[in-house]
Amino acid sequence: MELRHLRYFLAVAEERHFGRAAARLHMAQPPLSQQIRQLEAELGVRLLDRNTRRVELTEAGAAYLDRIRAVLAAVDEAGEVARRVAAGLQGRLSVGCVGSATYSLLPAVARRLREELPGVEVAFRGEMLGAQQVAALQRRDIDLALLRPPVDDPGIEVRVLRSDALIVVLPDGHRLAARDRLSVSDLRDEDFVVHAIRDSAMHGTLRRLCDRAGFEPRVRHEVVETSTLVTFVAAGLGVAIVPEPVAQLGVPGATYRPLVEEDARIDLAVAVRAGDDSPVIGQAMRVLSETVRGLALRTLSPS
């Protein structure tokens, strides 16, 4: 017995006529009649009562019809699911986000993913440092990472999405908050709150900026989460240099000032496992890139 036998029987049972069923199936009537007889012979029961004008279901045929409808519906559904998975329209996806992307990009990305890929179950993990994300990608705990390069791992592919300006975070009332713009050298005598040294691209960027300005930052506090970093600054425990999107946190007690150094910037990138050709990841990368472009155009367009 093959699926075609079930589809043949379904057509005859619904049309109650071999000629109309054959036309519906785009085949000749004699082969259709032969296939139905073969099905009945294999089952060992008569499914149809035939006469010159009409075909009627036997009691066994009616019971068989109910069940093959469910079988064929399940087969069709399985095929549709397979096609959707192959197209990246159904499945699961886990996304890790560096702190600044958690606040600035994640809401827009999550919204677009729900709208364009409703069949994909997406889980987000926010406030992850770069080294944590790379390790999570390697363990397959996440499938896609929004992080700050560089990533020194040949098993991870990185695509830069945008470049963010760096800004200074000060406690409200700080003496430097009276200025509209600051230079890195203005922070020479300040205590710094920084991301954990070994796990953060931002820490390396801070070191390079300070080295160029001729001093070593006086690190007083190391934190993992960006929200904690800004909270520490707001509490008066030091100052910090962060990507501009962090200002969207809106932590009370924190003041933000731009840097005069035009090259004080840091990239935001998306990272995946090298060679991972998952259709879901491909679709997510497309949505992510389109979302970043859309946000950039919105920023550039006049209000």
Side-chain angles (χ1 to χ4, degrees):
M1 186 186 304
E2 300 178 15
L3 281 176
R4 60 188 175 87
H5 293 108
L6 304 185
R7 298 191 189 281
Y8 293 163
F9 173 75
L10 177 65
V12 174
E14 290 182 344
E15 297 294 339
R16 296 293 203 272
H17 192 279
F18 274 93
R20 290 194 297 272
R24 169 173 153 180
L25 294 167
H26 306 289
M27 63 186 299
Q29 181 175 334
L32 175 60
S33 299
Q34 182 180 11
Q35 293 291 325
I36 297 299
R37 284 196 295 271
Q38 288 178 356
L39 176 62
E40 289 177 316
E42 183 167 344
L43 294 173
V45 297
R46 193 176 77 256
L47 300 173
L48 301 169
D49 282 331
R50 307 156 174 82
N51 58 47
T52 56
R53 291 176 303 182
R54 189 170 174 80
V55 175
E56 296 292 343
L57 289 166
T58 64
E59 187 174 346
Y64 193 63
L65 176 62
D66 287 341
R67 285 154 181 79
I68 68 162
R69 277 179 170 150
V71 170
L72 292 174
V75 169
D76 291 343
E77 180 184 4
E80 178 61 22
V81 168
R83 285 186 289 272
R84 289 179 61 79
V85 169
L89 301 177
Q90 186 165 329
R92 294 182 177 180
L93 183 75
S94 181
V95 181
C97 296
V98 71
S100 52
T102 302
Y103 321 124
S104 64
L105 188 55
L106 187 151
V109 170
R111 185 162 50 250
R112 283 286 298 273
L113 287 172
R114 284 195 303 269
E115 291 171 355
E116 298 194 26
L117 304 174
V120 176
E121 181 183 333
V122 185
F124 288 95
R125 293 177 58 183
E127 290 278 16
M128 296 183 72
L129 295 180
Q132 294 174 320
Q133 291 175 282
V134 169
L137 282 170
Q138 293 168 334
R139 294 193 305 267
R140 296 184 175 271
D141 291 343
I142 62 174
D143 307 299
L144 184 151
L146 292 169
L147 48 69
R148 302 286 181 184
V151 174
D152 186 21
D153 188 323
I156 303 297
E157 292 181 1
V158 179
R159 180 191 304 174
V160 174
L161 296 171
R162 72 184 187 201
S163 176
D164 291 328
L166 295 174
I167 60 175
V168 181
V169 192
L170 305 164
D172 283 356
H174 192 283
R175 60 183 179 81
L176 294 176
R179 302 185 191 181
D180 292 334
R181 298 167 69 84
L182 299 172
S183 68
V184 176
S185 60
D186 292 329
L187 307 175
R188 179 185 306 271
D189 299 322
E190 302 296 327
D191 293 337
F192 277 83
V193 183
V194 303
H195 286 100
I197 294 175
R198 290 173 297 179
D199 296 334
S200 172
M202 259 308 303
H203 190 85
T205 299
L206 171 66
R207 289 282 182 180
R208 286 191 294 273
L209 289 172
C210 293
D211 183 66
R212 192 173 64 181
F215 71 96
E216 183 175 347
R218 194 165 62 219
V219 175
R220 293 303 189 200
H221 300 279
E222 292 184 26
V223 301
V224 174
E225 296 183 349
T226 303
S227 57
T228 303
L229 182 148
V230 178
T231 301
F232 275 29
V233 172
L237 300 178
V239 302
I241 293 178
V242 298
E244 187 175 27
V246 173
Q248 298 180 26
L249 263 174
V251 175
T255 295
Y256 302 91
R257 292 291 181 266
L259 285 166
V260 297
E261 290 88 351
E262 293 184 358
D263 62 345
R265 309 186 67 86
I266 189 167
D267 290 336
L268 178 66
V270 58
V272 296
R273 287 178 293 275
D276 194 332
D277 59 355
S278 162
V280 170
I281 292 178
Q283 288 283 7
M285 294 276 279
R286 173 188 62 80
V287 171
L288 179 58
S289 297
E290 291 174 356
T291 302
V292 171
R293 285 197 298 270
L295 291 173
L297 290 173
R298 189 185 311 169
T299 301
L300 294 173
S301 62
S303 56

